[in-house]
């Protein structure tokens, strides 16, 4: 992905000048793609084996929690909210028993039966209420669907926090204990969510969803919070509980409304599967088409979120049940900055693609020339300048960060789009998409989806810690592959995006002090820039709806230059905590590959 090995090559005596590249991560030798992939560790997709590896860790946690419990300072009452309507008796019993079996005992189970027509449901609930003082049941006189039923359960809840449970799902015995440990570490938390998986009729667990930490842009396309969701009850009541008319996406709607009223620091993610969706015929876990109305309800919830926050945007459906926000803007001016040194055939193709395939018209192309020497290149520069393209001379030793800083400093446009000279436009909306995201005040760098010429992904966001400092998400998957839990097809936040195609407001660049010319002159400059933007409060964002080819060699040899080593050392010294634990990448996923397959065992799992 990124620029590592160009330092020596750029000034070599080889007749073919290299690409002036804007990225800075992975570099391999001149082997084929298949050779490259063969060198990677085998993908680990055996979830049953992963669960088996978890068992002794969970058992140790159980033992330690029982020992620690008397000394835990904060032991709030947690009200488990369980709306019920005609479930299979065996799955309802399993759901209730999973609460009764909790390690943490300070809970109450608040059940609202939504006028079930199955008499066995009422008998079972009455029996549980009679036998268990911390099981409370309200029987509704008429069916009102899940939002009304959930609100009925909320009315009888007296805990400081609520946990949401569906009537045929389960939570493992240590679920609430983990939540309480989280609350003791983060007492201000108002929304906690965990990872989840699916469980079938035979108790077989599959399809784990190992989630990102708080990812507000992903939440506008996918309800990644879902289960297990735990909320401060006072906050839920403050926003009015569940809303009728949002059935099928009522928890998505709640998460959006709660997140609007609290600080991001009050949203906590526990990276452990603490919820099992029952995957049986007729359940959403088995097939979303079983509840197709949920998609429309989600659209309504997201549109209401836009209205409440004065955001002018529309939604487009993605596949069967995801969403793509499209933001309105005022068509700001854009400077497309293309660093180059010779390689005129690449530059010419890149610029011709921009001119002929770009729908967005309010842009100015700026070629930042770093000491090109070939006559053909200078002749092409003359042609460009005569037709309105600007050529800025940036002489001196190659320093990618400096070249960009000089070029950006000279611009008056509102938005900067950095673009490698070895990229080619695929979809005409590529720049429109980058602009509509980059002009949002909370957004910093915006990265496009880049493909190799052989139609496999080169960049779909950057994950820190993969293979070292980091690597591109979903690298080498085919363009038709939606990636892990659809993230390759959805707009979302990442710790960084590549500088090979990156857009941002010039004011953001000014705010963070530009690119780091001293510590990351030619390696990790984009990653460092994105992280510094994050520290300053700007979210980095990946969008798959800006699509380009990137003709970067699919593999280049390891860079042993002192300059690269210096940049690597800087990255670990300054950003080591973020490299160790990327908040947008789950610690149960591998650091050996870019395809979001499982780690051989969970990283940093605490048994206390």
């Amino acid at each position: 992905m990124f620029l590592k090995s160009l330092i020596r090559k750029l000034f070599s005596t080889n007749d073919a000048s290299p690409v002036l590249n804007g990225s800075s991560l992975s570099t391999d030798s001149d082997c084929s793609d298949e050779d490259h992939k063969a060198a990677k560790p085998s993908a680990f997709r055996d979830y049953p084996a992963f669960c088996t590896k978890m068992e002794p860790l969970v058992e140790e946690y159980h033992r330690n929690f029982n020992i620690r419990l008397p000394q835990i300072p904060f032991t709030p009452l947690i009200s488990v909210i369980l709306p019920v309507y005609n479930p299979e008796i065996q799955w309802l019993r399993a759901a209730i028993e999973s609460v009764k079996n909790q390690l943490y005992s300070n809970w109450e189970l608040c059940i609202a039966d939504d006028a079930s027509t199955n008499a066995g449901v009422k008998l079972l609930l009455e029996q549980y209420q009679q036998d268990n003082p911390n099981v409370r049941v309200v029987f509704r006189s008429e069916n009102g669907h899940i939002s009304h039923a959930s609100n009925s359960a909320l009315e009888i809840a007296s805990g400081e926090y609520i946990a949401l449970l569906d009537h045929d799902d389960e939570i493992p015995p240590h679920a609430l204990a983990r939540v309480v440990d989280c609350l003791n570490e983060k007492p201000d938390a108002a929304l906690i969510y965990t990872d989840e998986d699916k469980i079938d009729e035979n108790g077989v667990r599959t399809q784990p969803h190992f989630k990102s930490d708080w990812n507000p842009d992903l939440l506008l396309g996918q309800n990644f919070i879902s289960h297990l969701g735990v909320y401060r009850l006072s906050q839920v009541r403050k926003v009015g509980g569940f809303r009728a008319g949002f059935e099928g996406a009522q928890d998505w709607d709640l998460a959006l409304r709660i997140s609007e009223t609290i600080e991001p620091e009050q949203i906590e993610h526990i990276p452990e599967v603490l919820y099992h969706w029952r995957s049986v015929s007729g359940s959403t876990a088995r097939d979303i088409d079983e509840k197709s109305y949920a998609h429309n309800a989600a659209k309504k919830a997201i549109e209401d979120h836009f209205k409440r926050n004065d955001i002018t945007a529309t939604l487009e459906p993605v596949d069967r049940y995801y969403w793509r926000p499209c933001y309105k803007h005022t068509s700001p001016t854009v400077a497309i900055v293309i660093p180059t040194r010779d390689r005129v055939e690449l530059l010419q193709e890149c610029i011709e693609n921009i001119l002929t395939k770009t729908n967005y018209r309010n842009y100015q192309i700026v070629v930042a020339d770093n000491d090109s020497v070939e006559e053909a290149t200078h002749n092409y520069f003359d042609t460009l300048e005569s037709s309105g393209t600007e050529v800025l001379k940036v002489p001196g030793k190659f320093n990618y960060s400096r070249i960009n800083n000089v070029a950006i400093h000279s611009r008056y446009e509102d938005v900067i789009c950095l673009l490698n000279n070895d990229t080619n436009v695929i979809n005409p909306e590529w720049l429109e998409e980058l602009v509509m995201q980059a002009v949002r005040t909370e957004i910093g760098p915006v990265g496009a989806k880049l493909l190799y010429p052989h139609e496999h992904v080169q960049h779909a966001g950057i994950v820190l810690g993969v293979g070292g400092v980091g690597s591109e998400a979903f690298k080498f998957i085919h363009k038709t592959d939606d990636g892990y839990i659809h993230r390759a097809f959805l707009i979302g936040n990442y710790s960084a995006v590549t500088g090979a195609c990156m857009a941002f407001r010039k004011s953001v660049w000014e705010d963070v002090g530009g690119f780091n010319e001293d510590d990351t002159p030619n390696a990790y400059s984009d990653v460092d820039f994105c992280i510094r933007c994050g520290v300053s409060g700007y979210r980095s964002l990946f969008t798959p709806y800006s699509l380009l080819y990137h003709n970067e060699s699919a593999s280049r040899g390891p860079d042993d230059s002192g300059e690269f080593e210096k940049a690597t050392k800087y990255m670990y010294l300054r950003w080591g905590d973020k490299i160790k634990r990327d908040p947008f990448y789950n610690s149960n996923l591998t650091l050996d590959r870019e395809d979001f397959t499982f780690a051989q065992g969970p990283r940093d799992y605490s048994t206390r």
Side-chain angles (χ1 to χ4, degrees), residues 248-269:
Q250 73 287 339
D251 54 346
W252 196 342
D253 176 58
L254 179 66
L256 286 168
R257 288 183 291 126
I258 292 289
S259 68
E260 295 165 11
T261 64
I262 60 178
E263 297 299 321
E265 294 76 18
Q266 293 179 274
I267 302 173
E268 294 294 327
H269 166 223

Side-chain angles (χ1 to χ4, degrees), residues 187 320 491:
R320 294 183 297 163
I491 296 167

Side-chain angles (χ1 to χ4, degrees), residues 302-542:
I302 300 167
E303 288 175 339
D304 272 19
H305 164 78
F306 290 151
K307 291 176 183 177
R308 288 190 301 271
N309 292 275
D310 296 321
I311 297 170
T312 305
T314 58
L315 289 173
E316 294 183 1
V318 179
D319 290 350
R320 294 183 297 163
Y321 44 93
Y322 301 110
W323 291 101
R324 170 197 177 187
C326 296
Y327 300 91
K328 301 297 181 183
H329 56 83
T330 58
S331 298
T333 54
V334 180
I336 303 176
V337 176
I338 308 175
T340 197
R341 180 184 180 184
D342 291 314
R343 296 304 297 269
V344 65
E345 73 286 354
L346 289 176
L347 179 64
Q348 184 171 357
E349 184 178 9
C350 174
I351 291 178
E352 288 180 357
N353 266 268
I354 296 171
L355 295 174
T356 60
K357 296 182 180 180
T358 303
N359 285 348
Y360 191 87
R361 304 312 300 171
N362 196 14
Y363 66 83
Q364 173 65 53
I365 297 175
V366 182
V367 176
D369 175 43
N370 180 228
D371 291 334
S372 291
V373 297
E374 296 178 358
E375 182 179 358
T377 304
H378 287 281
N379 289 338
Y380 182 58
F381 287 163
D382 292 340
T383 300
L384 289 176
E385 290 182 306
S386 66
S387 61
T389 294
E390 298 186 28
V391 178
L392 176 69
K393 302 297 183 181
V394 189
K397 181 181 178 181
F398 174 62
N399 181 318
Y400 180 75
S401 293
R402 181 181 66 86
I403 293 168
N404 280 317
N405 282 340
V406 170
I408 296 167
H409 181 74
S410 72
R411 304 316 303 166
Y412 62 85
E413 289 85 1
D414 303 305
V415 174
I416 305 296
C417 176
L418 301 183
L419 193 64
N420 275 17
N421 62 1
D422 60 344
T423 55
N424 291 306
V425 172
I426 296 176
N427 66 323
E429 299 80 20
W430 74 280
L431 188 55
E432 170 78 21
E433 176 68 19
L434 294 177
V435 169
M436 77 165 69
Q437 303 292 348
V439 296
R440 299 166 56 201
T441 57
E442 68 273 24
I443 299 301
V446 180
K449 188 172 188 176
L450 303 181
L451 303 180
Y452 290 115
H454 49 68
E455 307 291 351
H456 289 74
V457 172
Q458 188 267 323
H459 169 269
I462 291 171
V463 176
L464 302 181
V466 173
V469 171
S471 189
E472 304 90 340
F474 304 115
K475 193 171 185 177
F476 297 118
I477 70 171
H478 193 264
K479 67 178 182 179
T480 58
D481 188 337
D482 63 356
Y484 184 66
I485 318 294
H486 221 73
R487 281 187 70 179
F489 282 7
L490 294 174
I491 296 167
N493 303 119
Y494 283 85
S495 288
V497 293
T498 180
C501 181
M502 174 195 287
F504 46 84
R505 301 188 305 284
K506 185 179 179 183
S507 60
V508 172
W509 174 84
E510 292 170 337
D511 190 21
V512 303
F515 290 89
N516 187 339
E517 301 177 17
D518 297 326
D519 300 303
T520 61
N522 300 309
Y524 305 123
S525 55
D526 43 9
V527 180
D528 174 71
F529 177 71
C530 289
I531 296 175
R532 285 188 288 115
C533 285
V535 171
S536 296
Y538 302 108
R539 301 196 299 267
S540 293
L541 181 144
F542 159 73

Side-chain angles (χ1 to χ4, degrees), residues 174-196:
H174 63 302
L176 298 185
R178 279 296 201 194
V179 169
V180 169
D181 276 335
C182 177
L183 287 170
N184 277 271
E185 293 175 2
K186 305 286 185 178
D188 196 37
L191 193 169
I192 299 171
Y193 64 99
T194 76
D195 298 340
E196 61 193 77

Side-chain angles (χ1 to χ4, degrees), residues 33-66:
D33 296 337
E34 292 305 316
D35 290 337
H36 174 89
K37 286 182 277 189
K40 291 175 175 291
S42 298
F44 181 51
R45 298 186 176 89
D46 189 342
Y47 185 53
F50 183 93
C51 293
T52 298
K53 291 184 177 183
M54 285 292 299
E55 288 174 1
L57 298 175
V58 173
E59 291 172 0
E60 180 65 19
Y61 175 79
H62 282 210
R63 288 190 291 270
N64 289 340
F65 184 81
N66 286 329

